[in-house]
Amino acid sequence: MAPVLDIAVLAACALALVAPYLLYPLVLKFAIRPRRRPTNGSLSSLPTVSVLIPAHNEAARIADKLRNAMNLRYPAKHLEILVASDGSDDRTAEIARGFESDNLRVVELEERGGKLAALSRLLELARGELVLFTDVGAHLPSNVIAELVTDFADPAVVVAMPRYACVGASDAAPVEDTYWNRETRLKALEAERDMLLGAHGACYLMRKDAIRRIPPDTIHDDFLWPLLARAEGGRVVYRHDLAVTDEPPSRLSTVFERTARMAQGNLQILWRQRRLLTPKHARIAVSLIGHKLFKTLGPLWIVAMAAWTNVRALTVPELVLVAIAGDSLLVGLAMATTWQSSGRALPKVLGFMVHAFVAQVACAAGILRFALQSNATRWSRPAENDVPALHRPALPPRSVRVAKRTLDIVGGSVGILVALPLMPFIALAIIVDSPGPVFYRQARVAKDAFGNEHHFLIWKFRSMRVDAESDGNPVWATERDPRVTAVGAFLRKARFDEIPQLFQVLLGEMTLVGPRPERPSISDHLSYQLPGYDDRLTVCKPGITGWAQVHTGYDTSVESVREKLLYDFAYNAHLYGLRSYLAMEMRVIALTLAVVLYGRGAR
């Protein structure tokens, strides 16, 4: 029989894993008393409501959303609808302007700033005492405003929201329906006990004077605004008799990205609002810890159980079967995920398990993104809801995309395991060699599958002096660059400065093999001088290594970039057939290992 310590550790991890799904609801129901809700009076006057709709490249859905908003049953003189086109490069703004009227106004933002930036602009223009936040994809019942407004007869109420429900048919529909049914029951319990803290972006009504200024990089504005209002003594009302509907995601990649962003946003709020995790705010603290924190940290409990059983199984025979069973389950779920991602159906029970597995992996990605301070303020719509423009390069076939992501996860994980023992020594050498931070972060350009440009922070071990670009102007590397430190020269030669980017590969921000990303200012300059320069990143994510990188050194001029561009196009051409892709990928990886071993192509 396994030692008591092993049983205790595994039981504690399992308990932490199920806590937000089992223990927290039980604590809510049986350990915390409901707070009696005062009987609402009547409104002295009908408040004006401003409906805020942020949109980015929503040409396919904006017309339906505006028709839905204009059909809301509420007196026209007390209702205004404000739409923000957040840097859209399709017909979103044009279509929306076709609906403009006395109480519907369209604001066009030239530069994309993200959902919060769009909402902040609309809040400046809103004249309503109450503000209704809603997403383009959400369908509002015609009586939603009229019903929610009645809750504000109680002056303590700061937020009122309907329940969220999924409609439509997709592989994810049963899972989403089960999830939101559970969330509905949980939110009803929280609301009865004055422990409901946030809202869902699909629809919620809030007092405008209760909305506080929040940091511009906030990921979950729909949670933070209600949370701050609740912390100031306000109350959040949950109307489970009203339902706002939306279509569930149809791809696992969409589930992954949504969950990863949710996890990153949860940790951001928990860290910044840690003052609320004290006995002074007991009910808020219980909700934040029991629901948000434990659910977000789920991957840590799984990793802890896997690591403990595998390490202890080396000396405790009783744990060998447990370790084998656990490892087999994880490998099997990973294989089932790949199977479903390729478009093949799974049995219902296995489908539920795959979605749970993807959610946990996504939470792990969210934890890493939070640790790496990745920018997630620009929300992305599911790819299945978009239509690529004809002038953009076609995406590689699904088989290649699945194979490439699988190789990224496997290769990135192996690379991290190999590099982990080296990282402390590299960090120490950098600290001893020159003053400054161990890591270097810099904004780089990437594109999504539909050609929308965005920036992300690339991480490296620092190889230059901290004053390398003290004047603020970007400078290309040169032969024997005097800005490179002694340790930095070795790191560049061995390509060890790129090791931190392996974590970004696991996050999905980068890929192992692909075109090298450039800084925004240099990218803008090169796009004018080199036709097609922008298209190289539409087909493939930015890569740590690539067909261009193994044949050339660091960029020194426009001509050197022109040479790299030809290599990038040659690599991208191999992405349209599985056999040609795998042959090219293996060749690039082999040549990269040769570069690392022999130090070729570095400056």
Side-chain angles (χ1 to χ4, degrees), residues 356-423:
F357 176 75
V358 170
Q360 292 299 328
V361 175
C363 282
I367 294 171
L368 281 175
R369 290 177 184 178
F370 172 74
L372 297 176
Q373 301 177 31
S374 298
N375 186 356
T377 55
R378 295 180 178 181
W379 85 107
S380 298
R381 290 173 295 103
E384 59 263 30
N385 293 334
D386 209 340
V387 179
L390 294 177
H391 68 276
R392 294 171 185 156
L395 291 178
R398 182 185 291 270
S399 59
V400 172
R401 300 201 303 270
V402 171
K404 188 164 182 60
R405 184 59 186 154
T406 301
L407 285 176
D408 281 348
I409 293 173
V410 174
S413 300
V414 171
I416 289 172
L417 290 175
V418 172
L420 273 178
L422 300 175
M423 294 179 71

Coordinates of all heavy atoms in Angstrom, one line a residue, residues 356-423:
A356 N -12.8 19.0 -21.6 CA -12.3 19.3 -20.2 C -10.7 19.3 -20.3 O -10.1 20.2 -19.7 CB -12.7 18.2 -19.2
F357 N -10.2 18.4 -21.1 CA -8.7 18.4 -21.3 C -8.2 19.7 -21.9 O -7.2 20.3 -21.5 CB -8.3 17.2 -22.1 CG -6.9 17.1 -22.4 CD1 -5.9 16.7 -21.5 CD2 -6.4 17.3 -23.7 CE1 -4.6 16.6 -21.8 CE2 -5.1 17.2 -24.0 CZ -4.2 16.9 -23.0
V358 N -8.9 20.1 -23.0 CA -8.5 21.3 -23.7 C -8.6 22.5 -22.8 O -7.8 23.4 -22.8 CB -9.4 21.5 -25.0 CG1 -9.2 22.9 -25.6 CG2 -9.1 20.4 -26.0
A359 N -9.7 22.6 -22.0 CA -9.8 23.7 -21.0 C -8.7 23.7 -20.0 O -8.2 24.8 -19.7 CB -11.2 23.5 -20.3
Q360 N -8.2 22.6 -19.6 CA -7.1 22.6 -18.6 C -5.8 23.0 -19.3 O -5.0 23.8 -18.7 CB -7.0 21.2 -18.0 CG -8.1 20.8 -17.1 CD -8.3 21.7 -15.9 OE1 -7.3 22.3 -15.4 NE2 -9.5 21.9 -15.4
V361 N -5.6 22.6 -20.5 CA -4.4 23.0 -21.2 C -4.5 24.5 -21.5 O -3.5 25.2 -21.4 CB -4.3 22.2 -22.6 CG1 -3.1 22.7 -23.4 CG2 -4.1 20.7 -22.3
A362 N -5.7 25.0 -21.8 CA -5.8 26.4 -22.1 C -5.6 27.2 -20.8 O -5.0 28.3 -20.9 CB -7.2 26.7 -22.6
C363 N -6.0 26.7 -19.7 CA -5.7 27.4 -18.4 C -4.2 27.5 -18.2 O -3.7 28.5 -17.7 CB -6.5 26.7 -17.3 SG -8.2 27.1 -17.1
A364 N -3.5 26.4 -18.5 CA -2.1 26.4 -18.4 C -1.5 27.5 -19.3 O -0.5 28.2 -18.8 CB -1.5 25.0 -18.7
A365 N -2.0 27.6 -20.5 CA -1.5 28.6 -21.4 C -1.8 30.0 -20.8 O -1.0 30.9 -20.9 CB -2.2 28.5 -22.8
G366 N -3.0 30.2 -20.2 CA -3.3 31.5 -19.6 C -2.4 31.8 -18.5 O -2.0 33.0 -18.3
I367 N -2.0 30.8 -17.7 CA -1.1 31.1 -16.6 C 0.3 31.5 -17.1 O 0.9 32.5 -16.6 CB -0.9 29.8 -15.7 CG1 -2.2 29.4 -15.0 CG2 0.2 29.9 -14.7 CD1 -2.3 28.1 -14.3
L368 N 0.7 30.9 -18.2 CA 2.0 31.3 -18.8 C 1.9 32.7 -19.4 O 2.8 33.5 -19.2 CB 2.4 30.3 -19.9 CG 3.0 28.9 -19.4 CD1 3.3 28.0 -20.5 CD2 4.4 29.2 -18.7
R369 N 0.8 33.0 -20.0 CA 0.6 34.3 -20.6 C 0.6 35.4 -19.6 O 1.2 36.5 -19.8 CB -0.7 34.3 -21.4 CG -0.6 33.5 -22.7 CD -1.9 33.5 -23.5 NE -1.9 32.6 -24.6 CZ -2.9 32.4 -25.4 NH1 -4.1 33.0 -25.2 NH2 -2.8 31.6 -26.5
F370 N 0.0 35.1 -18.4 CA 0.0 36.0 -17.3 C 1.4 36.2 -16.8 O 1.8 37.4 -16.6 CB -0.9 35.5 -16.2 CG -0.8 36.4 -14.9 CD1 -1.4 37.6 -14.9 CD2 -0.1 35.9 -13.8 CE1 -1.3 38.4 -13.7 CE2 0.0 36.6 -12.7 CZ -0.6 37.9 -12.6
A371 N 2.2 35.1 -16.7 CA 3.5 35.2 -16.2 C 4.4 36.0 -17.1 O 5.3 36.8 -16.7 CB 4.1 33.8 -15.9
L372 N 4.2 35.8 -18.5 CA 5.0 36.5 -19.5 C 4.4 37.8 -19.9 O 5.0 38.5 -20.7 CB 5.1 35.6 -20.7 CG 5.8 34.3 -20.6 CD1 5.7 33.5 -21.9 CD2 7.2 34.5 -20.2
Q373 N 3.3 38.2 -19.2 CA 2.7 39.6 -19.4 C 2.3 39.7 -20.9 O 2.5 40.8 -21.5 CB 3.6 40.7 -19.0 CG 4.0 40.6 -17.5 CD 5.0 41.7 -17.1 OE1 5.0 42.8 -17.7 NE2 5.8 41.4 -16.2
S374 N 1.7 38.7 -21.5 CA 1.3 38.8 -22.9 C 0.1 39.7 -23.0 O -0.8 39.8 -22.1 CB 0.9 37.4 -23.4 OG 2.0 36.6 -23.4
N375 N 0.0 40.5 -24.1 CA -1.1 41.4 -24.3 C -2.3 40.7 -24.8 O -2.2 40.1 -25.8 CB -0.7 42.5 -25.2 CG -1.7 43.6 -25.4 OD1 -2.8 43.5 -24.8 ND2 -1.4 44.6 -26.1
A376 N -3.4 40.8 -24.1 CA -4.6 40.1 -24.5 C -5.8 41.1 -24.5 O -7.0 40.7 -24.4 CB -5.0 38.9 -23.6
T377 N -5.5 42.4 -24.7 CA -6.6 43.3 -24.7 C -7.4 43.3 -26.0 O -8.5 43.8 -26.0 CB -6.1 44.8 -24.4 OG1 -5.1 45.1 -25.4 CG2 -5.4 44.8 -23.0
R378 N -6.8 42.8 -27.0 CA -7.6 42.8 -28.3 C -8.2 41.4 -28.4 O -7.5 40.4 -28.6 CB -6.6 43.0 -29.5 CG -6.0 44.4 -29.5 CD -5.1 44.6 -30.7 NE -4.5 45.9 -30.7 CZ -3.7 46.4 -31.6 NH1 -3.3 45.5 -32.6 NH2 -3.2 47.6 -31.6
W379 N -9.5 41.4 -28.3 CA -10.2 40.2 -28.4 C -10.4 39.7 -29.9 O -10.4 40.5 -30.8 CB -11.6 40.3 -27.7 CG -12.7 40.8 -28.6 CD1 -13.7 40.2 -29.1 CD2 -12.9 42.2 -29.1 NE1 -14.6 41.0 -29.9 CE2 -14.1 42.2 -29.8 CE3 -12.2 43.4 -28.9 CZ2 -14.5 43.4 -30.4 CZ3 -12.6 44.5 -29.5 CH2 -13.8 44.5 -30.2
S380 N -10.4 38.4 -30.1 CA -10.5 37.9 -31.4 C -11.8 37.0 -31.5 O -12.1 36.3 -30.6 CB -9.4 37.0 -31.7 OG -8.1 37.7 -31.7
R381 N -12.5 37.2 -32.6 CA -13.8 36.4 -32.8 C -13.4 35.1 -33.3 O -12.3 34.9 -33.8 CB -14.6 37.1 -33.9 CG -15.3 38.4 -33.4 CD -16.0 39.1 -34.5 NE -15.1 39.5 -35.5 CZ -14.9 38.9 -36.7 NH1 -15.6 37.8 -37.0 NH2 -14.1 39.3 -37.6
P382 N -14.2 34.1 -33.1 CA -13.9 32.7 -33.6 C -13.7 32.8 -35.1 O -14.4 33.4 -35.8 CB -15.2 31.9 -33.3 CG -15.8 32.7 -32.1 CD -15.5 34.1 -32.3
A383 N -12.7 32.0 -35.5 CA -12.3 32.0 -36.9 C -13.5 31.5 -37.8 O -13.6 31.9 -39.0 CB -11.1 31.1 -37.1
E384 N -14.3 30.7 -37.3 CA -15.4 30.1 -38.1 C -16.4 31.2 -38.4 O -17.3 31.0 -39.3 CB -16.1 29.0 -37.4 CG -16.7 29.3 -36.0 CD -15.8 28.9 -34.9 OE1 -14.6 29.0 -35.1 OE2 -16.3 28.6 -33.8
N385 N -16.4 32.3 -37.8 CA -17.4 33.4 -38.0 C -16.8 34.4 -39.0 O -17.5 35.4 -39.3 CB -17.7 34.2 -36.7 CG -18.5 33.3 -35.8 OD1 -19.2 32.3 -36.2 ND2 -18.4 33.5 -34.5
D386 N -15.6 34.2 -39.5 CA -15.0 35.2 -40.4 C -14.9 34.6 -41.8 O -14.9 33.4 -42.0 CB -13.6 35.6 -39.9 CG -13.2 37.0 -40.3 OD1 -13.8 37.5 -41.2 OD2 -12.3 37.6 -39.7
V387 N -14.8 35.5 -42.8 CA -14.6 35.1 -44.2 C -13.3 35.8 -44.7 O -13.3 37.0 -44.7 CB -15.8 35.5 -45.0 CG1 -15.6 35.1 -46.5 CG2 -17.1 34.9 -44.5
P388 N -12.3 35.0 -45.1 CA -11.1 35.6 -45.5 C -11.3 36.4 -46.8 O -12.0 35.9 -47.7 CB -10.1 34.5 -45.6 CG -11.0 33.3 -45.8 CD -12.2 33.6 -45.1
A389 N -10.6 37.5 -47.0 CA -10.6 38.2 -48.2 C -9.9 37.4 -49.3 O -9.0 36.7 -49.0 CB -10.0 39.6 -48.0
L390 N -10.3 37.6 -50.5 CA -9.8 36.9 -51.7 C -8.3 37.2 -51.9 O -7.6 36.4 -52.4 CB -10.6 37.1 -52.9 CG -12.1 36.6 -52.9 CD1 -12.8 37.0 -54.2 CD2 -12.1 35.1 -52.7
H391 N -7.9 38.4 -51.5 CA -6.5 38.8 -51.9 C -5.5 38.2 -50.8 O -4.3 38.3 -51.0 CB -6.4 40.3 -51.9 CG -6.5 41.0 -50.6 ND1 -7.8 41.3 -50.0 CD2 -5.6 41.4 -49.6 CE1 -7.6 41.9 -48.9 NE2 -6.3 41.9 -48.6
R392 N -6.0 37.6 -49.8 CA -5.1 37.1 -48.8 C -4.7 35.6 -49.1 O -5.5 34.9 -49.6 CB -5.7 37.1 -47.4 CG -6.0 38.5 -46.9 CD -6.8 38.6 -45.6 NE -7.1 40.0 -45.3 CZ -8.1 40.3 -44.5 NH1 -9.0 39.4 -44.1 NH2 -8.3 41.6 -44.2
P393 N -3.5 35.2 -48.8 CA -3.1 33.8 -49.1 C -4.0 32.8 -48.4 O -4.5 33.0 -47.3 CB -1.7 33.7 -48.5 CG -1.2 35.2 -48.4 CD -2.4 36.0 -48.1
A394 N -4.2 31.7 -49.1 CA -5.1 30.6 -48.5 C -4.4 30.0 -47.4 O -3.2 29.8 -47.3 CB -5.4 29.6 -49.6
L395 N -5.2 29.5 -46.4 CA -4.6 28.8 -45.3 C -4.1 27.4 -45.7 O -4.7 26.8 -46.6 CB -5.7 28.7 -44.2 CG -6.1 29.9 -43.4 CD1 -7.2 29.6 -42.4 CD2 -4.9 30.5 -42.7
P396 N -3.1 26.8 -45.0 CA -2.7 25.5 -45.3 C -3.8 24.5 -44.9 O -4.7 24.9 -44.1 CB -1.5 25.3 -44.4 CG -1.0 26.6 -44.1 CD -2.2 27.5 -44.1
P397 N -3.9 23.3 -45.5 CA -4.9 22.3 -45.1 C -4.9 22.0 -43.7 O -3.9 22.1 -43.0 CB -4.6 21.1 -46.0 CG -3.2 21.3 -46.4 CD -2.9 22.8 -46.5
R398 N -6.1 21.5 -43.2 CA -6.2 21.2 -41.7 C -5.2 20.2 -41.3 O -4.6 20.3 -40.2 CB -7.6 20.7 -41.5 CG -7.9 20.4 -40.0 CD -9.2 19.8 -39.8 NE -10.3 20.7 -40.0 CZ -10.8 21.5 -39.1 NH1 -10.3 21.5 -37.9 NH2 -11.8 22.4 -39.4
S399 N -4.9 19.2 -42.1 CA -3.9 18.2 -41.7 C -2.6 18.8 -41.4 O -1.9 18.4 -40.5 CB -3.8 17.1 -42.8 OG -3.3 17.7 -44.1
V400 N -2.1 19.8 -42.2 CA -0.9 20.4 -42.0 C -0.9 21.3 -40.7 O 0.0 21.3 -39.9 CB -0.5 21.3 -43.2 CG1 0.8 22.1 -42.9 CG2 -0.2 20.4 -44.4
R401 N -2.0 22.0 -40.5 CA -2.1 22.8 -39.3 C -2.1 22.0 -38.0 O -1.5 22.3 -37.0 CB -3.4 23.7 -39.4 CG -3.5 24.6 -40.6 CD -4.4 25.7 -40.4 NE -5.8 25.3 -40.1 CZ -6.7 25.1 -41.0 NH1 -6.4 25.2 -42.3 NH2 -8.0 24.8 -40.6
V402 N -2.8 20.8 -38.0 CA -2.8 20.0 -36.9 C -1.5 19.4 -36.6 O -1.0 19.3 -35.5 CB -3.9 18.8 -37.0 CG1 -3.8 17.8 -35.9 CG2 -5.3 19.4 -37.0
A403 N -0.8 18.9 -37.7 CA 0.5 18.3 -37.6 C 1.5 19.4 -37.0 O 2.4 19.1 -36.2 CB 1.0 17.8 -38.9
K404 N 1.4 20.6 -37.5 CA 2.4 21.6 -37.1 C 2.2 22.0 -35.6 O 3.1 22.1 -34.9 CB 2.2 22.9 -38.0 CG 3.2 23.9 -37.8 CD 3.3 25.0 -38.9 CE 4.4 26.0 -38.7 NZ 5.7 25.4 -38.6
R405 N 0.9 22.1 -35.2 CA 0.7 22.4 -33.8 C 1.1 21.3 -32.9 O 1.7 21.5 -31.8 CB -0.8 22.7 -33.6 CG -1.2 23.2 -32.2 CD -0.4 24.4 -31.8 NE -0.6 24.8 -30.4 CZ 0.3 25.5 -29.7 NH1 1.5 25.8 -30.2 NH2 0.0 25.8 -28.4
T406 N 0.9 20.0 -33.4 CA 1.4 18.9 -32.6 C 2.9 18.9 -32.4 O 3.4 18.7 -31.3 CB 0.9 17.6 -33.2 OG1 -0.5 17.6 -33.4 CG2 1.3 16.4 -32.4
L407 N 3.6 19.2 -33.5 CA 5.1 19.2 -33.4 C 5.5 20.4 -32.6 O 6.5 20.3 -31.8 CB 5.6 19.4 -34.8 CG 5.6 18.1 -35.7 CD1 6.2 18.5 -37.1 CD2 6.5 17.0 -35.1
D408 N 4.8 21.5 -32.6 CA 5.1 22.6 -31.7 C 5.0 22.2 -30.3 O 5.9 22.6 -29.5 CB 4.2 23.8 -32.0 CG 4.6 24.6 -33.2 OD1 5.7 24.4 -33.8 OD2 3.8 25.4 -33.7
I409 N 3.9 21.6 -29.9 CA 3.7 21.2 -28.5 C 4.8 20.2 -28.0 O 5.4 20.3 -27.0 CB 2.3 20.6 -28.3 CG1 1.3 21.8 -28.5 CG2 2.1 20.0 -26.9 CD1 -0.2 21.3 -28.5
V410 N 5.0 19.1 -28.9 CA 6.0 18.1 -28.5 C 7.4 18.7 -28.5 O 8.1 18.5 -27.6 CB 5.9 16.9 -29.5 CG1 7.0 15.9 -29.2 CG2 4.5 16.2 -29.4
G411 N 7.7 19.4 -29.6 CA 9.1 19.9 -29.7 C 9.4 21.0 -28.7 O 10.5 21.1 -28.1
G412 N 8.4 21.9 -28.4 CA 8.5 22.9 -27.4 C 8.7 22.3 -26.0 O 9.6 22.8 -25.2
S413 N 7.9 21.3 -25.7 CA 8.0 20.6 -24.4 C 9.4 20.0 -24.2 O 10.0 20.1 -23.1 CB 6.9 19.6 -24.2 OG 5.6 20.2 -24.3
V414 N 9.8 19.2 -25.2 CA 11.2 18.6 -25.1 C 12.3 19.7 -25.0 O 13.2 19.5 -24.2 CB 11.4 17.7 -26.4 CG1 12.8 17.2 -26.4 CG2 10.4 16.6 -26.4
G415 N 12.1 20.7 -25.8 CA 13.1 21.8 -25.7 C 13.2 22.4 -24.4 O 14.3 22.7 -23.8
I416 N 12.1 22.7 -23.7 CA 12.0 23.2 -22.4 C 12.7 22.3 -21.4 O 13.4 22.7 -20.5 CB 10.6 23.6 -22.0 CG1 10.1 24.8 -22.8 CG2 10.5 23.9 -20.5 CD1 8.7 25.1 -22.7
L417 N 12.3 21.0 -21.5 CA 12.9 20.0 -20.5 C 14.4 20.0 -20.6 O 15.1 19.9 -19.6 CB 12.3 18.6 -20.8 CG 10.8 18.5 -20.4 CD1 10.3 17.1 -20.8 CD2 10.6 18.7 -18.9
V418 N 14.9 20.0 -21.9 CA 16.4 20.0 -22.1 C 17.0 21.3 -21.6 O 18.1 21.3 -21.0 CB 16.7 19.8 -23.6 CG1 18.2 20.0 -23.9 CG2 16.2 18.4 -24.0
A419 N 16.3 22.4 -21.8 CA 16.9 23.7 -21.5 C 16.8 24.2 -20.0 O 17.6 25.0 -19.6 CB 16.3 24.8 -22.4
L420 N 15.9 23.6 -19.3 CA 15.6 24.0 -17.9 C 16.9 24.0 -17.1 O 17.1 24.9 -16.3 CB 14.5 23.1 -17.3 CG 13.1 23.6 -17.5 CD1 12.1 22.7 -16.9 CD2 12.9 25.0 -17.0
P421 N 17.7 22.9 -17.1 CA 18.9 22.9 -16.3 C 19.9 24.0 -16.6 O 20.7 24.4 -15.8 CB 19.5 21.5 -16.5 CG 18.4 20.7 -17.1 CD 17.5 21.6 -17.8
L422 N 19.8 24.5 -17.9 CA 20.8 25.5 -18.3 C 20.3 26.9 -17.9 O 21.2 27.8 -17.8 CB 21.0 25.5 -19.9 CG 21.5 24.2 -20.5 CD1 21.5 24.3 -22.0 CD2 22.9 23.9 -20.0
M423 N 19.0 27.1 -17.8 CA 18.5 28.5 -17.6 C 19.1 29.2 -16.4 O 19.4 30.4 -16.5 CB 17.0 28.4 -17.7 CG 16.4 28.0 -19.0 SD 14.6 28.0 -19.1 CE 14.2 29.7 -19.0

